Amino acid sequence: QLALDDLRQAYSGVLEILVKFIDTADRYTEAHSVRVSILSTEIARELSLPEQDIENIRVAALLHDVGKLDVSIDVIRKAGKLDDGEWEQLKKHPEHGANIVEQMGGMLSNAVPIILFHHEQFNGNGYYGRKGEQIPLGARIIAVADAFDAMTTDRPYQKARQTWEALEIIEKGKGEHFDPQIVEAFTAVMRRRPEGVQRVQQRGYKYEGKVHRFEAGDQIHYSDRGRAHVALVLSQNEPLIVIPN
């Protein structure tokens, strides 16, 4: 048991060192990998996955951007739009990352396919053309968590979006960019997070062309561009968007 504990401690130490290297490479995304790992783990638990699968996803999320260590630092930190050559270089970071982790072997081997395919899209328009369940489940989970954190973090090329904006973008990408099952689990997780709701208007809610007053606990069901939504009022006259239905 002592030897096993020593092995686990060494394993955790390697992960911590690698994550620090990743964060050093891109000062604009400091702690990004940790946040993505936490959210990915929460989504995996929402899906009631086995503990070993959850651990594999947690590790893969921590290391999903390790391949950026093999990408030019000028490309990583560029504030403007990437040219075609720079974009092709950046797109290789999942492959670089998978190669790095594969060489380490052992406990990290299960993270390799998740890292390799974390930029795939559910409809097949990702880096390698995999779609649907051809994409490892862990990679589909990290795709959602990674996108959410990227959108809600200041980057050299864009300001952070509001949480509710990121939620709506991910919802709109359901079935195209993202696995619908993962999006549902993600929104369930976000309901329990304080940042998962945002104030819409302090003075009421514009509903069917009029500003209405509501009581705490009321639910507002409405349609926007043909999609059904629901808002929850947490305090009088302050309805908060929860999630699109």
Side-chain angles (χ1 to χ4, degrees):
Q1 181 63 43
L2 184 60
L4 183 59
D5 289 342
D6 287 344
L7 181 60
R8 285 173 176 162
Q9 187 173 356
Y11 163 72
S12 297
V14 168
L15 289 179
E16 185 176 348
I17 291 168
L18 281 172
V19 171
K20 285 182 179 178
F21 269 116
I22 297 166
D23 286 344
T24 300
D26 187 358
R27 64 183 181 272
Y28 289 99
T29 57
E30 184 178 1
H32 166 73
S33 297
V34 173
R35 292 192 300 270
V36 171
S37 179
I38 291 170
L39 182 52
S40 296
T41 300
E42 290 182 66
I43 294 170
R45 291 196 186 284
E46 181 67 27
L47 292 167
S48 301
L49 299 185
E51 282 302 316
Q52 187 56 57
D53 290 350
I54 293 173
E55 175 62 11
N56 292 337
I57 290 165
R58 183 187 76 84
V59 170
L62 280 172
L63 301 178
H64 75 282
D65 276 344
V66 69
K68 288 184 177 179
L69 296 174
D70 279 345
V71 177
S72 167
I73 197 67
D74 293 330
V75 171
I76 296 295
R77 295 182 176 177
K78 186 173 180 179
K81 184 178 179 181
L82 300 181
D83 63 33
D84 290 344
E86 292 167 335
W87 177 239
E88 288 302 316
Q89 186 182 159
L90 184 63
K91 282 173 64 176
K92 291 180 179 178
H93 83 266
E95 181 181 353
H96 293 322
N99 289 337
I100 291 170
V101 175
E102 187 173 34
Q103 291 173 30
M104 299 176 71
M107 293 180 176
L108 299 179
S109 60
N110 291 326
V112 172
I114 301 175
I115 293 169
L116 179 60
F117 295 117
H118 77 273
H119 274 296
E120 294 305 276
Q121 297 183 20
F122 197 69
N123 62 6
N125 289 336
Y127 288 5
Y128 301 108
R130 289 203 173 195
K131 63 181 180 179
E133 294 188 1
Q134 295 174 349
I135 307 166
L137 178 60
R140 284 178 268 153
I141 289 173
I142 291 174
V144 172
D146 188 27
F148 174 77
D149 192 76
M151 284 189 281
T152 54
T153 304
D154 282 331
R155 297 295 179 98
Y157 50 86
Q158 71 176 25
K159 296 292 290 181
R161 294 179 183 271
Q162 294 293 321
T163 299
W164 67 268
E165 293 180 287
L167 289 170
E168 287 199 345
I169 290 170
I170 288 175
E171 173 65 23
K172 289 175 182 177
K174 186 167 68 174
E176 295 292 327
H177 198 129
F178 307 113
D179 181 341
Q181 178 189 15
I182 307 304
V183 173
E184 288 177 10
F186 162 74
T187 53
V189 168
M190 292 305 296
R191 277 197 198 97
R192 297 191 292 270
R193 283 186 166 198
E195 69 270 29
V197 293
Q198 294 287 326
R199 181 183 301 176
V200 179
Q201 292 183 10
Q202 290 185 0
R203 296 175 56 192
Y205 194 80
K206 193 170 183 180
Y207 182 62
E208 294 182 345
K210 300 177 182 179
V211 175
H212 292 254
R213 304 298 183 188
F214 299 98
E215 300 296 329
D218 286 352
Q219 286 192 356
I220 310 163
H221 295 267
Y222 67 101
S223 178
D224 178 26
R225 291 187 289 271
R227 298 181 69 88
H229 296 256
V230 61
L232 175 66
V233 183
L234 295 192
S235 63
Q236 190 171 13
N237 299 329
E238 292 187 0
L240 306 180
I241 289 294
V242 179
I243 58 165
N245 275 346

